[in-house]
Amino acid sequence: MKNYAVDKIRNVAFLGHGGSGKTTLTEALLYTTNVTTRMGKVDDGNTVSDYDKEEINRKFSIGTSLIPIEWNEHKYNFLDTPGYFDFVGETLGALRVAGGAVIMLDASSGIEVGTEKAWNFTEKRNMPKIIFVNKMDKENVNYVKIIKDLKDTFGKKIAPFCIPIGEGSEFKGFVNVVDQVGREFNGTQCVDAPIPQDMELRVRPFRELLIEAVAESDEELMMKFFEGETFTNEEIHEGLRKGVISGDIVPVLVGAVEKRIGIHTLMNMIYDYFPTPKEMNGGVYRGTNPDTEEEIDRVLDESEPFSAFVFKTIVDPFVGKISLFKVYSGTAKKDMEVLNTSKDEKERITSLFLLRGKEQLEVDKIIAGDIGATAKLQYTETGDTLCDRDKPIKYAGINMPRPALFMAIEPKSKGDEEKIHSSLHRLTEEDPSFILERNKETRQTLLGGQGTMQIQVITSKLKNLFGVEVTLEDPKIAYRETIKGVATVQGKHKKQSGGAGQYGDIHVKFEPSNEPFVFEEKIFGGSVPRQYIPAVEKGLQESLEHGVLAGCNVVNVKATLLDGSYHPVDSSEMAFKLAAHLAFKKGMEQAQPILLEPIAHVEIYIPDEYMGDIMGDMNRRRGRILGMEPNEVGYQKVIAEAPQSEMFAYATDLRSMTQARGWFNMSVERYEEVPMQIALKIIEQVKKDNEK
């Protein structure tokens, strides 16, 4: 594939609900532009975009695929993103480098959750977009209702650029309202056709609305409109282009990508109305100087110092690591030595290629505005910046959502612990939206992700790519113990076994404290020699790891050494340490021990209509609502607290309650006493687990 000037490049992300036809669209585009000789099918597992074994087996996209296409002396970098919400990290990476988005909508299903999320993603980034209403040939399709629903949901920005000719089984094409031409399917392809006479009156009001939108894009055109003058085709296209790029107009196209109806029109619209890379952000990318933290800019131009942003990483045990990047300034060339400012490490670009699915297309350079790939970078991961060593710049990384679901992960085979950690580290290079952490209190390794599907895919990759089989289970709760009362006890360790014996005797007062652990000594008259007092403190600190109720960590206790006795021969540090253990156990038992559980602070984002369900569900979880505040249009932020033990499956439950529209953030805030009836059950279960 040849190199293209920046004004002949379009970078476009395909977004939408799972099953809306994004991957099938890439197949139609590849076939239409003669890259392939037939269209692959997701169900057959032979598409260019979904080439990963997991994608083939599961029949949906897991990662973003890059599909570069040449058409009419232009280059289109299409980014086919997953529709499944667990893989949102892939979508965020694609949106970071795209200049526009095509939101796919299934005409038989209408607006779905994925449609809304895609809209919100692009609105937050002020990204130009086109809505492509796919599957117009399916049964029970009502175009008028679809347009009404789009306007009701997304507002007056919605602008039908195409009107279907027929619907459902009668669908055979559409009228392009902008260019006033018809396109009809002749059984093998879509061809130009005259506008049916019975549709001329139907098309006219849509055409008038577009002309009004053109007039609003420019003062001179507004004057011309009021004076009753006719706009030229160039003025119409330029006015609509301004509206689309500014986000004031969102074109709606129709088609059926399996039959390739609407493909040429979509390509033309992307060319006509989406910005070139140089038109994005005014052609300026802002970063920071890694040495001074001062803000600096790079202009998207070949003559500028090289800089690029890595938006995706592919990990393959056989091929190695592949880094996909967009060049923000300058030119990437083979054998360049560059600086990774995110890691403060030097890297060498030994190869340059374009990826089309898994196919590598070798190139000699990649210019500013274009997207390419390189292999076997040693330190570079997703979200890193590569740049000229002498002109360093660091761009902001990708703001990944925090994991919503945690599972404890263990190897099926003993000795695979280290292999699990190294394999998962490699997979986090590919997908930084999941994390691996160790809970010191429960001694479990936790895998945190966006949902059950993502975690299932990760464990499947562990097995198939790295040969590690694992088991998953709910994490243990890091319960803690403390005391509510005061007790003064004696701890006496005395042992005689022929030779020198062991003797340590102490009196300790235990009481609640606001600090994790406080030790004091009030010894008078040397009843416990000074050299043994540190051993007493150490013995008490060691005892904190195992409480008397369920063997949990003990917190918020103050221990005061009051008195004791010693033997001039048999006393030792070890004897007083063991005496401290005995005193601790007695003191805890007598000072009203209680069980504490972690309380999570939860921020839940939901549409208004689900408020009642969320509040009722939170009450059932022993939670409490602390407050509410508006967050986005039609959304509420609900602030709540709930025991962590009640929140394990909340990611799945919230998705179910809100039809996947809601999301949440959660963090442990503090510990509170567990109600007695629940505490008894927990203590019994924890003891059983410890015995196992």
Side-chain angles (χ1 to χ4, degrees):
M1 184 176 283
K2 67 179 185 180
N3 291 303
Y4 286 82
V6 68
D7 62 336
K8 294 185 179 297
I9 295 172
R10 302 290 189 278
N11 299 314
V12 182
F14 292 160
L15 309 176
H17 198 83
S20 58
K22 301 182 294 297
T23 299
T24 306
L25 173 59
T26 64
E27 287 297 310
L29 290 164
L30 289 164
Y31 182 66
T32 300
T33 54
N34 299 316
V35 176
T36 57
T37 56
R38 64 181 178 86
M39 282 180 59
K41 294 183 178 180
V42 173
D43 287 340
D44 294 342
N46 59 358
T47 65
V48 174
S49 184
D50 288 356
Y51 60 87
D52 184 86
K53 287 183 180 179
E54 291 293 331
E55 294 174 318
I56 293 170
N57 292 336
R58 297 175 188 272
K59 302 189 187 308
F60 58 76
S61 299
I62 291 171
T64 292
S65 287
L66 177 62
I67 308 293
I69 289 174
E70 295 173 292
W71 191 67
N72 282 356
E73 294 301 312
H74 283 73
K75 181 185 180 185
Y76 297 76
N77 289 314
F78 292 119
L79 296 149
D80 179 20
T81 70
Y84 213 99
F85 308 128
D86 282 19
F87 308 103
V88 65
E90 294 285 325
T91 302
L92 296 176
L95 289 173
R96 181 62 181 271
V97 297
V102 175
I103 300 176
M104 297 293 286
L105 186 148
D106 184 336
S108 59
S109 302
I111 298 173
E112 298 176 273
V113 184
T115 319
E116 296 175 8
K117 293 200 172 198
W119 178 275
N120 291 334
F121 282 144
T122 54
E123 283 291 285
K124 286 178 181 176
R125 293 160 177 78
N126 197 29
M127 180 178 286
K129 49 190 162 286
I130 290 171
I131 295 177
F132 189 97
V133 182
N134 187 28
K135 305 183 183 181
M136 285 294 298
D137 55 338
K138 301 300 181 185
E139 295 299 324
N140 303 316
V141 170
N142 186 333
Y143 177 74
V144 174
K145 183 178 184 303
I146 290 171
I147 294 298
K148 182 180 183 303
D149 290 345
L150 286 170
K151 285 182 173 290
D152 289 345
T153 305
F154 303 129
K156 64 179 183 179
K157 295 181 178 183
I158 298 297
F161 276 35
C162 294
I163 309 297
I165 302 174
E167 292 177 357
S169 59
E170 301 297 317
F171 177 69
K172 59 181 179 179
F174 55 88
V175 174
N176 184 328
V177 179
V178 180
D179 296 330
Q180 292 187 297
V181 297
R183 295 280 290 173
E184 289 191 12
F185 185 62
N186 63 9
T188 56
Q189 60 181 336
C190 223
V191 296
D192 288 341
I195 299 174
Q197 288 185 349
D198 61 344
M199 289 192 67
E200 289 182 356
L201 288 176
R202 187 180 170 198
V203 169
R204 190 175 300 162
F206 290 102
R207 173 78 174 174
E208 290 172 355
L209 287 173
L210 291 183
I211 294 300
E212 288 181 19
V214 170
E216 291 174 0
S217 69
D218 185 271
E219 288 187 10
E220 289 185 13
L221 294 179
M222 180 68 79
M223 292 294 295
K224 193 172 181 180
F225 175 74
F226 282 131
E227 290 170 3
E229 295 183 40
T230 303
F231 293 152
T232 65
N233 284 339
E234 290 76 12
E235 288 172 334
I236 291 172
H237 277 275
E238 186 58 33
L240 291 176
R241 189 171 196 270
K242 285 181 180 178
V244 173
I245 290 178
S246 67
D248 295 330
I249 298 174
V250 178
V252 179
L253 312 184
V254 298
V257 296
E258 281 192 358
K259 296 177 179 177
R260 296 190 296 124
I261 301 176
I263 299 301
H264 287 86
T265 300
L266 175 62
M267 294 280 276
N268 286 332
M269 293 283 184
I270 290 172
Y271 167 73
D272 286 339
Y273 302 121
F274 276 2
T276 68
K278 203 159 191 174
E279 291 173 307
M280 292 173 57
N281 310 315
V284 176
Y285 291 91
R286 176 151 293 176
T288 58
N289 184 318
D291 298 322
T292 64
E293 299 297 322
E294 293 179 7
E295 287 189 344
I296 51 175
D297 293 337
R298 285 284 184 273
V299 177
L300 194 143
D301 193 282
E302 290 181 63
S303 62
E304 285 275 303
F306 168 73
S307 69
F309 181 79
V310 178
F311 68 93
K312 178 177 171 62
T313 305
I314 301 171
V315 174
D316 190 307
F318 308 105
V319 178
K321 185 168 67 173
I322 297 174
S323 302
L324 280 74
F325 59 87
K326 178 180 178 180
V327 179
Y328 281 178
S329 62
T331 303
K333 298 178 181 178
K334 286 184 181 179
D335 296 321
M336 280 181 70
E337 188 172 78
V338 297
L339 177 65
N340 180 329
T341 48
S342 305
K343 300 289 190 296
D344 194 23
E345 296 282 357
K346 293 178 182 178
E347 297 271 26
R348 180 169 291 279
I349 298 177
T350 57
S351 61
L352 276 179
F353 50 89
L354 309 177
L355 272 183
R356 182 182 286 146
K358 64 179 178 181
E359 181 186 6
Q360 297 183 9
L361 309 172
E362 293 285 336
V363 292
D364 59 348
K365 65 178 181 177
I366 298 170
I367 67 166
D370 206 352
I371 295 173
T374 186
K376 299 179 181 178
L377 295 181
Q378 187 174 355
Y379 306 101
T380 302
E381 300 175 353
T382 300
D384 286 356
T385 301
L386 302 175
C387 65
D388 188 309
R389 291 177 302 161
D390 299 323
K391 299 286 185 179
I393 188 171
K394 182 180 178 181
Y395 298 112
I398 301 170
N399 188 19
M400 292 291 178
R402 287 191 287 181
L405 179 67
F406 284 87
M407 298 292 289
I409 184 170
E410 294 289 341
K412 282 188 176 180
S413 302
K414 288 185 178 180
D416 274 353
E417 289 85 357
E418 185 60 36
K419 199 171 181 182
I420 283 180
H421 283 78
S422 61
S423 301
L424 283 173
H425 176 71
R426 293 190 66 184
L427 290 177
T428 57
E429 292 180 347
E430 185 174 70
D431 181 4
S433 68
F434 80 88
I435 63 172
L436 190 70
E437 62 182 37
R438 180 76 176 173
N439 188 314
K440 294 180 180 178
E441 291 187 43
T442 63
R443 296 178 177 84
Q444 284 185 313
T445 299
L446 302 180
L447 180 62
Q450 303 303 317
T452 53
M453 183 57 68
Q454 183 190 30
I455 289 178
Q456 287 175 13
V457 168
I458 291 167
T459 56
S460 181
K461 285 187 174 184
L462 281 176
K463 178 182 177 181
N464 297 327
L465 295 180
F466 301 101
V468 182
E469 291 193 63
V470 298
T471 57
L472 295 172
E473 59 185 33
D474 285 339
K476 295 176 184 176
I477 294 293
Y479 293 106
R480 293 177 181 173
E481 299 177 29
T482 191
I483 53 176
K484 294 176 73 175
V486 179
T488 300
V489 299
Q490 179 184 21
K492 188 173 185 179
H493 175 70
K494 183 178 181 181
K495 188 175 182 181
Q496 196 70 35
S497 56
Q502 296 181 28
Y503 185 90
D505 176 28
I506 56 174
H507 293 259
V508 184
K509 178 183 177 183
F510 292 93
E511 58 190 315
S513 170
N514 292 325
E515 298 180 42
F517 176 67
V518 177
F519 175 75
E520 279 189 10
E521 56 88 9
K522 295 182 178 179
I523 296 294
F524 296 98
S527 55
V528 177
R530 287 286 167 189
Q531 67 265 32
Y532 298 139
I533 292 177
V536 174
E537 182 178 2
K538 188 174 182 182
L540 292 172
Q541 285 181 327
E542 290 178 354
S543 300
L544 293 172
E545 296 180 7
H546 300 285
V548 296
L549 295 176
C552 304
N553 282 10
V554 177
V555 295
N556 301 119
V557 170
K558 179 180 180 181
T560 305
L561 178 61
L562 301 175
D563 200 0
S565 62
Y566 72 101
H567 189 280
V569 176
D570 294 346
S571 287
S572 65
E573 288 187 0
M574 179 57 69
F576 275 97
K577 190 175 173 184
L578 293 172
H581 288 311
L582 294 172
F584 179 85
K585 186 176 180 182
K586 282 185 187 178
M588 286 293 294
E589 289 172 346
Q590 296 179 24
Q592 301 178 44
I594 58 171
L595 192 68
L596 301 175
E597 64 180 341
I599 302 298
H601 176 86
V602 193
E603 295 179 353
I604 312 160
Y605 301 86
I606 52 166
D608 285 333
E609 61 262 34
Y610 301 110
M611 183 65 73
D613 293 338
I614 295 302
M615 294 178 73
D617 176 74
M618 190 55 64
N619 287 332
R620 286 189 291 273
R621 296 175 190 271
R622 298 192 285 128
R624 51 183 175 266
I625 304 295
L626 302 180
M628 292 170 285
E629 57 187 61
N631 176 252
E632 296 177 13
V633 179
Y635 272 70
Q636 287 284 341
K637 175 182 175 181
V638 180
I639 304 168
E641 287 183 344
Q644 189 185 31
S645 59
E646 302 285 349
M647 300 296 289
F648 276 140
Y650 196 64
T652 304
D653 295 343
L654 180 65
R655 189 170 289 184
S656 176
M657 284 187 289
T658 64
Q659 297 179 319
R661 287 179 170 85
W663 71 94
F664 74 103
N665 296 319
M666 183 172 70
S667 59
V668 173
E669 186 89 349
R670 64 182 183 282
Y671 276 74
E672 284 185 359
E673 181 179 355
V674 183
M676 181 57 68
Q677 293 300 316
I678 298 173
L680 292 173
K681 294 178 182 178
I682 292 171
I683 291 167
E684 184 180 350
Q685 185 60 49
V686 171
K687 284 181 177 178
K688 286 181 180 178
D689 292 341
N690 289 339
E691 288 173 5
K692 289 181 183 179

